[in-house]
């Protein structure tokens, strides 16, 4: 049995020993370095651009501007509003204007300082709440990139009578930086008359299409290989298209290898972030605590271009009402333009913002009703047969209640609560608190991204029985290769060591869409199982011919193959079949279950499956300083099937900590000129090993009948509910309701102001 | 129409501009250089090997000997007699004993000089005619690696009566050096926990297996990528297994990238060559000139290990009797061991030797009968329905007669002959001569190699209609990628620009056997057509579903797709199908027609198809110096279908010149100690542009019904008959019968000794 086993991640050894090849480890003969010349201002018109002096600098081999683009000056994502290089206008500080290629990074830097640009500055929009209908027009539709809504049930009904209790509040969230260990980078070179790109990325097929369009090359002439990728978290979904195109335009014109690697500052200042937001919530329950209505108003700051915003906003819209039975829902969501860095994908994808707001509101409502936060949630959580926020009937793998029960039990919640009360009664300034959140996650691309929802693969069995499997989804540290190998090994009944999961390469695998939306495991699984089914069929046929009889099925287990009353060693069968030239190399394509979406009501089957989660967090708050210490977190997640429980636990811990960083300390500051001023880890602090609370991961497996081995996917979910668990725990500890994250000591103090202590 | 068009080779631009990446163009961070420590003697016992001082040299990172081999100390080819590194015994000068890895080539060299080895020298066999039954035993079976025979018809019959004319002669051929532009080399590194090998090679699947066995790694953990390969000619069939393993053992132990590139001297001294031979021929005809019997005795010098010798000898055996109707055949062939460099594959693969002998004998017999060399051949050539040397009925693509007729016509042979006689009558010392040869070539691996005869492929169509095709055969300068792209383009009715033929990579394509035996075009074609047929089927089904009716067939032509009365643009269809998630990525496997072989008689269907050729060469011979000048050559070849006529012509010219070099000047010298002493191009001369005669290629297309677009394959054939055409022309010019090639001025003078002038 390979599935369900806590196999050590296959890529861990080469990463730990330093053998893994990252982009910066690749040097090619004759290689040039590329760097980007960027706008110093947030908004303006380029009056003149003079590269002539810069071109004379020793070692500079080329400087490329919008004029040098052989194809479209567009980086394709969704709305196609983002130019590859600014031509007339600059839209945010750091907006790329030109790319320099030179024999040393130093020559590049010198060129950047020598390029002369005259920009007529225009008034800029920095505050996103001031964007819509602003006299400054950044996007044609009154600066609104996109909007979504949900109108479910009696969505307009008023609940003014005394039979109902309502809370209404506005919440704010900030930019969040992905803080991947490895910054953006790519090396681009010609090989076999094909432009070959090796980059750090989540979505090679995005890069292939974007670069093809910029350079006017056919898709097959742009070969994209995902290089070992040092973290991504959404930050390498769409952005690498831009980064790779920057190196690519140099390699295209100069016909030599070109490498681009951002330094941390450039990366933090110019790469996408989580969308800052304002979320207004009005949540109404009856006297028993049953939620009857939720109103939500979600405003996202998209930055200068829309990039992935439509998809991000869609997910936020669907996820706003949370994992609760609520018959009547009214949600409006809009994303607006500002002259700041374009925001994009980030683990959770528009949902942590609304979950922070909604889960805060749930706690506020519980308090108003005199209920325990756990109790009120238990009363409202969905179960099999219920509908979710978009009216989708939940009938497969609905583990919410099971997660709830297990987490409450594992946490020994009521005892824990008692212990904390006891502690607080004895401690004057240091107070403990418990914070709770429940949430769900729509797995996969959903109705907004379903056109990309494909699961391609290639599986090849060599003569010695060892296997090479290729899938269209990427490993970026989340363990994708390991679970893929486990699923292949499980199917063939062989040891996982026999399976190599190859590097993703657009020339060997067909478009599988991006590796996002917690779809890695399920996409890889569906993919390889579809190719393996073909191989199994060939072997079945081969055995029937060989034995001159028919067999109902062929079973692979423990290195053996059983059919009828016969048994063969797996390796013996493969050797025989290879010798007889049976084809053991197949491609597969699985198309996931359909999803639907009605633009007018927001109703439909938004995602093919949902993951479910509950977190209980204990913190300690210093009433004098406002400092919060993370103590212990019980985090429960329904994943359908844990293909690798150890990795599921790892995802829970890593993701939860990332969510705690978001809630507690990651405080990105944007200047009044739109520039990110916290552009390295000395000013933008993220949790370190010192900050980690005791994590108690709780894994729930409510089999997803359509998933590979019952798995669905949940990689983003651990992050998503931690900010409200944190702020709820702070409130629980010291009565301070933090409505704007991160909950820095200053904000906690501020929130405590009207509390008497 | 893409097939049949003289498309310019797709790889030419990147090779001419220097953009092509050869092994030596790849530098990787932290890369080490490897060099091989070799035996200074031909035969001996290693008494002591001391690497301790060498290991202390600055920059030396490791020295690996037979003790460090984790797997088998064998380089797998056929008989598995060749160790990867010598352990107890050395068998030829240059025999590898250890591999040094260091940070600079200089440190490697220093280490090579510092390693101490004590070898007890043993008596060596250098002269292959003295090998069999020698008291020195190199190979268990009396130094005979392998033997073949043909016993056809009344093979033992004597032809002593006056009704028959017989010639009997013994011929000798020398080593031939492949003289590929790029010497052997590879770079080996770990990527994704897989040992990745990029090397200059013809047979990546050989390398994969050999290295897997040496390092005890599963096949899937050894990924072999063919790097741009600067020529091969057989010299990169089996030998790269050894070269790659040398770099691989260093990378395996040291876990860093390791590059090995031989210099010319090392390459020429230690890499495989064409087998030197002795061929005895006794050819009998009746008075009308009809061949009635041939006796052949073929002895090959295999060198110290058998490597590919069994396959080489088999081909020579089958090809000895030539393209003639001969009912009675008796052939014996043996390959013996000597303490010289192991010989292996070389364009023609054992056949140029026997063709030299047989075609010389045919001319001698013609003279004895008073017939013209062209006339006697015309009388005896096979046609449809005849049998070949192994009794195979020739019933498909038998273009011998057509080649003969076209060449004689194109050459205007009898006029040409007259002009030459006229010239000679006026010239005292400079004499012209015409030489003729006819021959055939069994295409593909044949009965001896049929276990490897598979044609795998992978074809992927991207959303924009551009195609990536992978095949299991390699481009090494012969134009394989171009013809592959042409066949794909032809099938889909699209422009060849839309097709990218990817680098061969064992992780993306299943074992297709080696790229040898002139099987490249036919193997690639069979492969891609089998995958394309699947894609066509999917599109056909898709269209039927879309149009809700059935169509007999779907036709791709000129960028359009026709079905029933409908027509679509190809790109439109692909876009539609992609949007609807139709799978346009398939693997294919074609198994070529079977071949057979009877060990006792040599009879059977030796090859699935045959190519046919005739050459007429004009030379000028200086009677005083023995110098020969190449004037003009008419070379006709039946290729089934010229997928790319320009490339066919290129192959004819290049191959013919290589054959003329073999016949005329390539004079490899081996010392009495077994060492190759002509180890660079100042002592081993090959034809240069100054030596090229006027070539008139004649292409014949006798459709091969089972081949892709009627093609078969002929890449080796141009070389094969040029040596006898040359020596026959010398005889024709000055009456000197050169029985040992190359026909150096000294040999020509020697042969003229008993001629009165």
């Amino acid at each position: 049995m390979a599935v369900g086993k806590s196999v050590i991640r296959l890529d861990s050894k080469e990463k730990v020993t330093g053998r893994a090849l990252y982009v910066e480890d690749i040097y090619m003969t004759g290689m040039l370095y590329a760097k980007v010349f960027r706008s110093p201002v947030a908004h303006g018109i380029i009056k003149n651009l003079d590269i002539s002096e810069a071109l004379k600098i020793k070692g500079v081999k080329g400087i490329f501007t919008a004029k040098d683009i052989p194809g479209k000056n567009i980086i394709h994502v969704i709305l196609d509003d983002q130019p590859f290089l600014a031509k007339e206008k600059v839209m945010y500080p750091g907006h790329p204007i030109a790319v320099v290629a030179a024999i040393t990074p130093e020559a590049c830097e010198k060129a950047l300082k020598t390029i002369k640009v005259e920009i007529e500055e225009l008034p800029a929009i920095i505050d996103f709440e001031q964007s819509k209908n602003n006299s400054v027009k950044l996007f044609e539709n009154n600066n609104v990139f996109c909007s979504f809504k949900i109108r479910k049930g009696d969505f307009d009904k008023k609940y003014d009578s005394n039979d109902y209790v309502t809370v209404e509040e506005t919440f704010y969230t900030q930019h969040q930086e992905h803080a991947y260990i490895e910054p953006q980078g790519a090396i681009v070179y010609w090989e076999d008359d094909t432009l070959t790109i090796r980059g750090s990325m989540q979505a090679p097929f995005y890069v292939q299409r974007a670069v093809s369009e910029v350079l006017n090359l056919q898709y097959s002439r742009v070969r994209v290989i995902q290089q070992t990728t040092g973290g991504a978290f959404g930050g390498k979904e769409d952005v690498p298209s831009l980064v790779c195109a920057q190196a690519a335009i140099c390699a295209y014109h100069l016909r030599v290898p070109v490498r681009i690697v951002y330094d941390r500052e450039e990366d933090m200042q110019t790469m996408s972030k989580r969308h800052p937001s304002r979320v207004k919530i009005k949540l109404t329950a009856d006297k028993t605590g049953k939620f009857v209505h939720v109103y939500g108003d979600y405003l996202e700051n998209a930055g200068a271009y829309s990039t992935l915003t439509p998809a991000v906003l869609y997910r936020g819209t669907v996820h706003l009402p949370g994992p609760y039975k609520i018959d009547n829902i009214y949600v409006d969501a809009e994303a607006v333009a500002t002259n700041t860095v374009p925001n994009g994908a980030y683990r959770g994808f528009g949902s942590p913002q609304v979950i922070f707001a909604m889960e805060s509101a749930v706690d506020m409502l519980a308090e108003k009703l005199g209920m325990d936060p756990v109790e009120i949630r238990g009363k409202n959580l969905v179960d099999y047969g219920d509908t979710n926020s978009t009216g989708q009937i939940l009938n497969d793998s609905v583990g919410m209640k099971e997660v709830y029960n297990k987490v409450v039990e594992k946490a020994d919640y009521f005892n824990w609560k008692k212990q904390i009360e006891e502690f607080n009664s004895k401690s004057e300034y240091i107070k403990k608190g418990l914070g709770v959140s429940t949430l769900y996650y729509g797995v996969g691309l959903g109705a907004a991204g379903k056109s990309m929802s494909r699961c391609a693969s290639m599986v090849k069995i060599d003569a010695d029985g060892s296997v090479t499997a290729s899938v269209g989804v990427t490993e970026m540290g989340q363990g994708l290769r390991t679970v893929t190998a486990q699923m292949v090994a499980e199917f063939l009944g062989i040891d996982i060591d026999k399976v190599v999961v190859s590097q993703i390469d657009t020339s060997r695998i067909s478009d599988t869409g991006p590796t996002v939306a917690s779809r890695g495991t399920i996409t890889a699984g569906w993919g390889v199982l579809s190719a393996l089914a073909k191989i199994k069929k060939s072997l079945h046929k081969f055995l029937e011919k060989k034995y001159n009889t028919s067999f109902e099925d062929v079973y692979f287990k423990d290195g053996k193959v059983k059919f009828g009353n016969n048994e063969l060693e797996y390796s013996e069968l493969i050797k025989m079949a290879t010798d007889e030239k049976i084809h053991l190399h197949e491609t597969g394509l699985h198309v996931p279950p359909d999803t639907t979406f009605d633009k007018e009501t927001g109703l439909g089957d938004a995602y093919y499956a949902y993951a479910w989660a509950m977190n209980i967090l204990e913190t300690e708050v210093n009433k004098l300083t406002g400092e919060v210490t993370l103590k212990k977190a019980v985090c429960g997640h329904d994943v359908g099937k844990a293909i690798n429980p150890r990795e599921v636990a790892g995802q829970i811990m890593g993701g939860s900590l990332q969510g705690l960083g978001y809630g507690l300390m990651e405080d990105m500051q944007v200047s009044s000129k739109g520039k990110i001023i916290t552009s390295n880890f000395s000013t933008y602090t993220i949790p370190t090993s010192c900050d980690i609370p005791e994590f108690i991961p709780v894994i729930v497996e409510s089999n997803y009948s359509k998933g590979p081995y019952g798995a669905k996917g949940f990689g983003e979910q651990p992050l998503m509910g931690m900010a409200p668990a944190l702020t709820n725990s702070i409130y629980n500890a010291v009565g301070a309701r933090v409505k704007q994250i991160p909950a820095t000591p200053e904000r906690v103090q501020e929130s405590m102001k009207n509390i008497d202590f």
Side-chain angles (χ1 to χ4, degrees), chain A:
Chain A
M1 288 294 284
V3 158
K5 234 171 126 176
S6 284
V7 174
I8 290 187
R9 239 172 65 198
L10 301 179
D11 53 333
S12 56
K13 206 163 137 195
E14 68 166 25
K15 283 175 177 164
V16 168
T17 56
R19 243 167 45 220
L21 291 172
Y22 295 88
V23 168
E24 206 162 18
D25 296 322
I26 304 176
Y27 176 85
M28 294 180 76
T29 310
M31 186 188 91
L32 302 178
Y33 298 81
K35 286 198 181 284
V36 181
F37 179 75
R38 298 172 180 280
S39 169
V41 304
H43 196 200
I45 293 168
I46 301 174
K47 288 295 184 183
N48 191 41
L49 178 62
D50 180 3
I51 58 169
S52 55
E53 286 304 308
L55 272 172
K56 291 178 196 156
I57 290 166
K58 202 180 157 196
V60 171
K61 296 293 178 186
I63 299 175
F64 305 99
T65 68
K67 285 196 307 243
D68 303 305
I69 298 169
K72 297 186 208 160
N73 188 6
I74 288 291
I75 288 294
H76 171 72
V77 189
I78 297 174
L79 300 184
D80 278 355
D81 56 344
Q82 184 183 14
F84 164 46
L85 291 169
K87 198 173 177 187
E88 286 101 23
K89 261 195 158 183
V90 290
M91 292 286 282
Y92 64 97
H95 196 156
I97 297 172
V99 190
V100 176
I103 57 171
T104 60
E106 293 69 25
C108 286
E109 292 289 358
K110 213 168 159 190
L112 294 187
K113 284 181 192 129
T114 311
I115 293 173
K116 292 187 197 85
V117 67
E118 283 170 44
I119 295 177
E120 181 191 319
E121 231 178 307
L122 298 173
I125 305 174
I126 307 302
D127 178 357
F128 70 101
E129 290 189 276
Q130 305 303 318
S131 174
K132 193 174 173 182
N133 299 323
N134 198 306
S135 63
V136 179
K137 297 295 176 204
L138 304 178
F139 191 74
E140 51 191 14
N141 197 14
N142 265 326
N143 297 337
V144 177
F145 282 126
C146 52
S147 59
F148 290 98
K149 55 188 170 192
I150 300 176
R151 303 289 185 265
K152 183 187 172 191
D154 200 351
F155 54 81
D156 260 346
K157 193 174 164 190
K158 299 278 170 288
Y159 296 88
D160 308 332
S161 82
N162 281 339
D163 299 338
Y164 300 102
V165 181
T166 294
V167 292
E168 185 168 2
E169 195 53 76
T170 301
F171 299 90
Y172 289 90
T173 67
Q174 80 284 30
H175 283 103
Q176 187 180 13
E177 165 65 27
H178 301 92
Y180 28 64
I181 298 180
E182 182 205 20
Q184 303 281 344
I187 178 163
V188 183
Y189 53 98
W190 287 96
E191 185 159 27
D192 307 322
D193 248 355
T194 300
L195 193 77
T196 305
I197 299 173
R198 288 173 169 262
S200 183
M201 63 182 74
Q202 290 178 249
F205 303 103
Y206 280 11
V207 174
Q208 185 189 30
R209 175 168 174 178
V211 173
S212 295
E213 293 184 354
V214 164
L215 298 180
N216 194 27
L217 291 171
Q218 288 167 9
Y219 287 11
S220 61
R221 296 249 168 243
V222 178
R223 176 184 179 188
V224 183
I225 300 168
Q226 186 216 10
Q227 202 60 26
T228 308
T229 295
F233 311 111
K236 292 174 185 168
E237 180 179 353
D238 60 312
V239 162
S241 297
L242 185 64
V243 177
C244 292
Q246 289 163 351
I249 195 169
C250 303
Y252 175 90
H253 287 292
L254 300 171
R255 305 266 154 181
V256 292
V258 177
R259 193 175 79 192
I260 192 164
V261 177
Y262 284 13
D263 62 24
R264 185 61 67 181
E265 193 151 338
E266 179 175 26
D267 195 294
M268 286 182 81
Q269 281 183 339
T270 67
M271 295 293 94
S272 75
K273 312 272 171 273
R274 188 188 300 291
H275 293 69
S277 78
R278 182 196 70 200
V279 187
K280 296 180 182 170
I281 291 277
K282 189 175 170 186
L283 178 63
T284 305
D286 65 16
K287 284 283 169 75
T288 71
K290 188 180 159 5
F291 301 160
V292 294
H293 186 272
V294 65
Y295 163 89
D297 176 7
Y298 182 21
L299 183 68
E300 278 187 352
N301 174 5
Y305 294 108
S306 63
T307 74
L308 286 158
T309 295
V312 170
L313 191 69
Y314 175 73
R315 185 173 285 278
T317 308
V318 172
H319 285 68
L320 185 143
Y324 307 112
K325 284 176 283 189
I326 312 182
D327 292 336
N328 311 302
I329 301 177
Y330 187 112
V331 178
D332 272 338
E334 269 182 355
V336 293
T338 57
N339 293 111
T340 59
V341 67
N343 300 306
Y346 195 132
R347 200 175 197 171
F349 211 70
S351 72
Q353 295 95 320
V354 293
I355 291 169
F356 165 57
M358 178 69 180
E359 289 299 295
S360 296
V362 169
D363 258 37
M364 291 164 75
L365 193 65
E367 192 188 25
K368 241 180 160 173
L369 284 158
M371 289 174 81
D372 180 274
V374 164
E375 189 193 349
I376 196 170
R377 286 177 171 86
K379 199 172 182 77
N380 286 285
L381 291 173
V382 293
D383 207 343
Y384 281 90
D386 292 334
T387 64
N388 77 341
S389 59
T390 63
Q392 178 172 357
I393 296 165
L394 302 166
N395 52 18
D396 198 353
S397 188
V398 189
M400 187 67 254
K401 283 269 164 97
E402 196 184 340
V403 170
Y404 174 86
N405 291 332
K406 283 215 175 144
V407 167
V408 173
E409 185 197 327
K410 186 86 183 173
D412 197 1
Y413 174 72
F414 294 97
N415 247 328
W416 193 3
K417 198 173 157 184
K418 223 174 286 167
Q419 283 164 19
I420 280 175
E421 281 162 9
E422 210 167 297
F423 173 92
N424 285 347
S425 69
K426 291 178 195 154
S427 170
E428 193 173 357
Y429 297 118
I430 305 294
K431 297 287 183 182
K432 286 191 172 186
L434 285 183
V436 183
S437 65
T438 45
L439 61 138
Y440 76 115
Y441 180 80
V443 178
L445 296 164
K450 69 176 179 176
S451 67
M452 300 185 296
S453 190
R454 299 158 47 109
C455 314
S457 77
M458 190 185 84
V459 177
K460 180 167 80 75
I461 306 185
D462 280 336
D464 67 346
S466 64
V467 183
T468 303
S470 298
V471 291
V473 275
T474 54
E475 169 70 66
M476 42 191 159
Q478 86 279 42
L480 191 270
R481 285 191 176 177
T482 309
V483 294
T484 305
Q486 285 179 273
M487 291 186 281
V488 172
E490 178 76 23
F491 186 96
L492 294 172
I494 57 175
D495 201 89
I496 190 179
D497 283 355
K498 277 195 132 44
V499 185
V500 170
V501 179
S502 72
Q503 227 172 12
I504 179 168
D505 172 343
T506 58
S507 78
R508 72 154 76 215
I509 193 94
S510 60
D511 193 344
T512 303
T515 308
V516 299
S518 305
R519 69 191 283 266
T521 299
I522 196 166
T523 300
W526 272 330
V528 294
L529 293 185
S530 103
L532 284 165
K534 293 188 197 175
I535 291 178
K536 182 178 161 180
K537 204 171 153 188
S538 299
L539 289 170
H540 191 160
K541 256 174 79 180
F542 166 71
L543 285 168
E544 292 191 333
K545 202 176 156 199
K546 193 97 194 156
Y547 284 74
N548 200 22
T549 179
S550 68
F551 303 112
E552 202 187 324
D553 204 352
V554 177
Y555 304 90
F556 297 89
K557 210 181 163 187
D558 299 332
K560 307 234 184 298
V561 188
K562 296 185 189 185
F563 46 102
N565 295 320
N566 310 284
E567 186 177 292
L568 277 175
E569 294 289 320
Y570 162 82
S571 54
E572 192 185 343
L573 169 63
I574 298 301
K575 171 97 178 55
M576 269 167 54
T578 304
D579 286 350
E580 304 212 14
K581 303 181 185 182
I582 303 306
H583 196 36
L584 303 178
H585 178 203
E586 294 284 359
T587 59
L589 180 71
H590 175 87
V591 177
D594 199 17
T595 49
T596 57
F597 164 65
D598 179 83
K599 178 81 190 155
E600 292 310 306
T601 62
L603 302 184
D605 291 351
Y607 296 90
Y608 50 66
Y610 295 87
W612 311 95
M614 180 174 189
N615 306 293
I616 306 179
L617 172 72
E618 177 190 322
T619 57
E620 239 173 51
V621 186
N622 182 324
K623 285 183 82 166
L624 296 178
T625 63
E627 272 182 296
V628 178
T629 308
L630 306 169
K631 301 303 286 182
K632 178 175 164 182
V634 182
C635 303
H637 293 268
D638 170 22
V639 302
K641 170 74 188 176
I643 303 296
N644 187 328
R646 177 196 170 92
E647 287 306 307
V648 169
Q651 287 268 29
I652 292 174
M653 293 190 263
S656 299
L657 188 65
Q658 203 170 26
L660 289 167
Y662 180 52
L664 183 58
M665 59 178 77
E666 300 188 24
D667 197 11
M668 184 147 276
Q669 297 290 330
V670 178
S671 77
S672 62
K673 293 285 193 183
K675 193 170 172 178
I676 288 166
I677 47 182
T678 47
S679 58
N680 59 54
F681 295 134
S682 58
T683 50
Y684 181 87
T685 51
I686 60 172
T688 68
S689 50
C690 307
D691 302 303
I692 302 176
E694 179 193 353
F695 276 120
I696 299 174
V698 176
I699 301 173
V700 170
E701 294 177 310
S702 70
N703 180 70
Y704 173 40
S705 70
K706 298 196 189 72
Y709 300 104
K712 38 195 189 189
F714 90 113
E716 289 161 273
Q717 194 171 259
L719 181 150
M720 288 161 38
M722 295 315 285
L726 174 82
T727 55
N728 287 343
S729 78
I730 295 170
Y731 186 83
N732 185 243
V734 297
R737 174 58 60 194
V738 177
K739 293 167 197 162
Q740 177 167 7
I741 51 171
T744 55
E746 295 79 2
R747 290 227 176 87
V748 173
Q749 282 189 310
E750 176 78 19
S751 308
M752 283 192 292
K753 266 187 184 164
N754 45 6
I755 300 170
D756 176 38
F757 65 95

